[in-house]
Amino acid sequence: MELAIVDPAIRVDDLYRLHRSRLARLAFLLTGSAEIADELAQEAFVRLWPRVDEIRDPAAYLTTTVANLARGHWRRLAVERRHAPVPPGPALPADVDEVWSQLWCLPERERSALVLRFYADLDIAGVAKAMGCRLGTAKSLVHRGLAHLKEVLEQ
Amino acid sequence: MNDTSIEARIARTLQEVAARLPDRDAAPPAAATRRPARGTRTLVAAAAVFIVSSLGAYLLTVDEERSVMLRPEVRRVLLTAEVDGSELRLETTGGNCVVVVLPEGFPSAEQACNGSDAIAIKAMNWGGKTRVSTLVWGRADPGARFSDVIEDGATSMLYEARVGSGAAFLLVIDVPAASGTIAVLDQAGSAIGQATFDHGGPNRKPKGTLGDRRIDFAYRRDGAIWVRTTDGQDIRITDGTENASDGYPFVLPDGHTIVHSHATFDSPVDSVRATDARDGSSREVPTQSMLAVSPDGRTLAVSAINDDSGATEEIVLLRADTFVEIKRIGIGVGDTVGSIADAVWDADGQGLLVETRCCSTEESPTPEDHLRLVDVDKAAATELPRVDDSRWILANRAPSHGQYPALRRVGAELQWGTLRLQGTKISFELIATLPADTGLDDEGALYLLARRNGLWLVGDGHKLFELNAAGQLKLLLDDVDSASTP
């Protein structure tokens, strides 16, 4: 039985090894579910695969795809059924736990904007692109998210 | 930024939380050649795996004893197997497509089709995980239809099914450009019927344009928008980059413009697009993906971020022919804010039933992040909350591609349909007293169980109710925990 691997597959292999873990962690922060995060990261590669040779910046593409999938996942039935409203809480130091809990009290888009800004380390333009909104909206989401968190954390 | 700034705290928190995510096996796609362990809770426990080679060959491993390699020139495959004591004969034609015997314990096509004839399962293996969707063929209701994608580990009624002996099984290993014909055979080897499939993939070109023909209906299939003409022709209007999974395309009253949600692989951001089936030209408006076309086809309802709030989405009404904005309707009810999940128009086009995701505030008792239903009056731009937690409805909703009726309001009743339940109705008055609430089984296994003539609801204290098609509610079990699962 013969096997042959084409170059695009090898390239995706490399991308997979390089980015999968990062994407899963990003998806986890966006969805609060390790299981769903794993699926979203996989899905991002599935979407990348057919076009891997045409995309100039696969890493950015994968990040945007995960952000979009995380947004879409909130709307989807199957995921909705499985998803607990409050994310699972790994044992965290108190101060970290406080911020993490309060992050999940924010509206979904504010939370996503903060995750993309402060975890994925995207600039505002990158946040806007990943979230599919205008620059001003992204700026507003980050600003409001920060303001809301600051208000509750400083109480 | 100093270390105590709110930005620094957030960054540190996110890093710390992310670091605690278990490091999964980072096996690359090619490592999908590993045979999955038996007994794992995956849809294809003895899963087929494949590797795409430059020669277009596909390695398929069914189990240790059976394997087959196919090349593009292979046009016909016939496999036999024994499942549940019955011999199954499996056949497919067409290139880039293979079939395998489903493993023992695989869901019953009989149940999946609700008494129809057969089901085809298409799967794509990636990084050791298999993504599966189903293609259903029914003799009584001919025509192939794809149901939602089912993912490994997903909770699905299909999981609850058991292998039956009256059905044929197919597992189609999908590749990005696979196409072909699936022949569904009964146990005597006679063809029940066949269905063609064309997993477009992004590189597929539109197959044609409408020309002088008339559209019967439009549908989404395999990453493309298709139309069925009144003379029975299926035409792919777009290429295979229609990546949006939600919603189905609408044909406007002009008879040739198709409105559909749209996202591409290059820019996986949702928008609403109008495509002219006559020449494939299109125009689009950015949105947040929700799209509902009014019954008369003249008005679109889409969702958009309210720039003043920065977070809450609102309904935007647009003229369907020009995309000119008519009106914006906020969905905030009281002090609650949230996003829009979906919306359906009333039959008279005067209002919409909107599903919103809410974020609770101190003033609002709405469970955070729960989807609920709101009635929106188009003319008055007012909204009336209907159901505070609609998960019990959503859990049994129709597939998003819209081939089955989903949620809608009919007078004083809420109506919805699913693969199994067509047109279940319940009055809004009764909804207010339904026992469904939070605190249910996380897996949803007992949450809402579909039946042919109604459905079971599990409510407060895990009581089990039956809601029949007439909208009557009957207590079946007082303590589900101590009884067996129905």
Side-chain angles (χ1 to χ4, degrees):
Chain A
M1 198 167 291
E2 56 181 316
L3 295 178
I5 307 294
V6 295
D7 288 340
I10 293 173
R11 186 169 177 216
V12 173
D13 266 21
D14 293 340
L15 289 168
Y16 193 90
R17 292 178 198 281
L18 201 60
H19 295 293
R20 190 213 160 277
S21 178
R22 174 183 70 83
L23 292 169
R25 292 180 197 284
L26 174 62
F28 174 63
L29 294 172
L30 291 170
T31 65
S33 162
E35 183 188 46
I36 293 167
D38 195 43
E39 292 175 0
L40 297 192
Q42 297 280 356
E43 174 67 18
F45 283 98
V46 169
R47 295 188 180 198
L48 171 73
W49 188 16
R51 316 204 72 181
V52 64
D53 286 336
E54 303 166 22
I55 294 170
R56 279 181 301 178
D57 186 350
Y61 175 88
L62 288 165
T63 300
T64 301
T65 302
V66 163
N68 191 55
L69 289 171
R71 182 160 61 96
H73 115 92
W74 291 103
R75 294 192 169 94
R76 294 179 59 180
L77 156 68
V79 180
E80 173 69 24
R81 290 183 64 199
R82 284 178 287 151
H83 190 74
V86 178
L92 297 167
D95 59 330
V96 171
D97 186 50
E98 183 185 19
V99 177
W100 179 235
S101 300
Q102 291 301 333
L103 267 170
W104 282 85
C105 293
L106 296 178
E108 176 199 334
R109 289 178 64 79
E110 284 184 12
R111 181 174 63 248
S112 297
L114 293 182
V115 169
L116 292 166
R117 176 73 186 90
F118 295 110
Y119 179 74
D121 205 23
L122 302 179
D123 58 18
I124 294 296
V127 173
K129 186 178 178 189
M131 296 186 68
C133 62
R134 289 180 299 200
L135 196 65
T137 303
K139 194 179 293 183
S140 170
L141 288 170
V142 171
H143 176 75
R144 285 170 187 274
L146 283 173
H148 286 152
L149 273 187
K150 193 168 184 178
E151 185 182 344
V152 293
L153 292 174
E154 289 181 353
Q155 276 180 357
Chain B
M1 186 190 310
N2 62 54
D3 285 342
T4 58
S5 71
I6 187 68
E7 292 91 340
R9 288 184 69 184
I10 294 170
R12 188 164 70 87
T13 295
L14 294 172
Q15 294 289 350
E16 188 132 355
V17 173
R20 289 167 192 252
L21 181 69
D23 209 358
R24 306 292 178 93
D25 176 17
T33 49
R34 286 197 307 268
R35 178 178 176 235
R38 278 193 183 277
T40 56
R41 187 184 161 97
T42 60
L43 263 182
V44 277
V49 294
F50 70 92
I51 293 175
V52 180
S53 81
S54 57
L55 298 175
Y58 307 95
L59 171 67
L60 178 70
T61 303
V62 179
D63 57 31
E64 288 174 350
E65 290 75 38
R66 277 191 202 97
S67 63
V68 60
M69 172 177 270
L70 300 175
R71 292 184 182 281
E73 61 270 25
V74 175
R75 308 301 295 178
R76 180 183 172 89
V77 177
L78 177 64
L79 297 176
T80 61
E82 187 173 305
V83 176
D84 207 24
S86 298
E87 186 183 75
L88 302 178
R89 291 160 56 84
L90 312 170
E91 180 175 336
T92 185
T93 60
N96 297 352
C97 167
V98 294
V99 294
V100 301
V101 179
L102 293 184
E104 186 180 354
F106 203 83
S108 156
E110 193 175 359
Q111 291 195 32
C113 299
N114 191 26
S116 297
D117 297 300
I119 185 171
I121 314 290
K122 65 170 183 170
M124 186 169 184
N125 200 306
W126 186 265
K129 297 198 70 173
T130 305
R131 299 180 60 81
V132 180
S133 63
T134 55
L135 184 152
V136 179
W137 175 275
R139 195 200 313 250
D141 182 19
R145 51 186 70 85
F146 288 91
S147 69
D148 277 347
V149 168
I150 304 161
E151 300 162 344
D152 284 354
T155 301
S156 163
M157 281 180 282
L158 291 175
Y159 277 120
E160 307 305 324
R162 296 290 178 268
V163 171
S165 58
F169 297 95
L170 296 174
L171 176 57
V172 179
I173 302 301
D174 192 13
V175 294
S179 62
T181 301
I182 301 168
V184 181
L185 311 180
D186 63 18
Q187 290 174 55
S190 304
I192 294 170
Q194 66 178 26
T196 59
F197 69 97
D198 189 345
H199 304 307
N203 297 322
R204 293 263 166 169
K205 302 297 181 191
K207 265 187 173 172
T209 55
L210 185 64
D212 294 331
R213 284 172 290 205
R214 296 178 58 198
I215 297 176
D216 192 3
F217 58 88
Y219 58 103
R220 188 189 297 280
R221 197 175 93 190
D222 304 326
I225 301 295
W226 293 66
V227 296
R228 169 77 57 84
T229 62
T230 52
D231 58 358
Q233 296 293 310
D234 289 289
I235 305 171
R236 188 172 57 228
I237 298 298
T238 68
D239 62 19
T241 59
E242 292 296 334
N243 203 24
S245 59
D246 293 335
Y248 42 102
F250 300 84
V251 182
L252 295 187
D254 63 16
H256 54 79
T257 303
I258 303 161
V259 176
H260 53 97
S261 58
H262 169 75
T264 68
F265 287 89
D266 274 341
S267 176
V269 175
D270 300 335
S271 64
V272 167
R273 173 172 281 198
T275 299
D276 192 327
R278 294 173 305 183
D279 58 11
S281 63
S282 64
R283 63 184 192 281
E284 68 181 52
V285 58
T287 180
Q288 299 303 314
S289 87
M290 191 285 292
L291 164 68
V293 181
S294 66
D296 63 6
R298 300 184 188 286
T299 308
L300 308 182
V302 301
S303 61
I305 295 290
N306 178 328
D307 285 333
D308 290 337
S309 76
T312 299
E313 286 187 328
E314 57 190 359
I315 296 275
V316 182
L317 302 182
L318 307 170
R319 278 189 55 159
D321 55 351
T322 61
F323 284 1
V324 170
E325 185 173 320
I326 301 169
K327 183 181 289 185
R328 286 184 175 242
I329 305 174
I331 57 155
V333 178
D335 293 314
T336 303
V337 297
S339 57
I340 294 172
D342 204 356
V344 287
W345 286 83
D346 293 342
D348 60 6
Q350 296 305 305
L352 300 113
L353 192 60
V354 180
E355 293 168 0
T356 68
R357 172 178 295 282
C358 301
C359 294
S360 62
T361 63
E362 288 181 4
E363 293 77 13
S364 169
T366 306
E368 184 178 352
D369 277 334
H370 288 178
L371 284 156
R372 65 180 189 172
L373 299 180
V374 178
D375 259 343
V376 174
D377 183 287
K378 184 181 80 171
T382 57
E383 70 279 346
L384 173 67
R386 286 294 195 179
V387 182
D388 266 353
D389 181 356
S390 67
R391 286 178 302 169
W392 65 271
I393 295 170
L394 292 168
N396 212 23
R397 244 190 108 183
S400 59
H401 55 61
Q403 291 189 4
Y404 298 88
L407 213 54
R408 66 190 183 118
R409 184 158 61 96
V410 182
E413 291 181 318
L414 178 70
Q415 183 180 53
W416 69 95
T418 72
L419 280 167
R420 294 164 179 75
L421 299 173
Q422 298 295 321
T424 303
K425 286 184 186 176
I426 187 169
S427 73
F428 281 105
E429 195 175 338
L430 182 57
I431 286 174
T433 63
L434 278 177
D437 203 347
T438 55
L440 302 176
D441 185 315
D442 285 343
E443 290 289 322
L446 292 175
Y447 193 76
L448 183 65
L449 306 170
R451 302 178 59 197
R452 191 183 288 271
N453 299 316
L455 47 100
W456 286 308
L457 300 167
V458 180
D460 292 333
H462 285 197
K463 293 177 181 178
L464 189 64
F465 296 82
E466 180 187 50
L467 173 65
N468 65 24
Q472 296 163 327
L473 200 63
K474 178 184 171 188
L475 178 64
L476 294 181
L477 270 178
D478 200 27
D479 184 2
V480 173
D481 292 334
S482 63
S484 58
T485 303

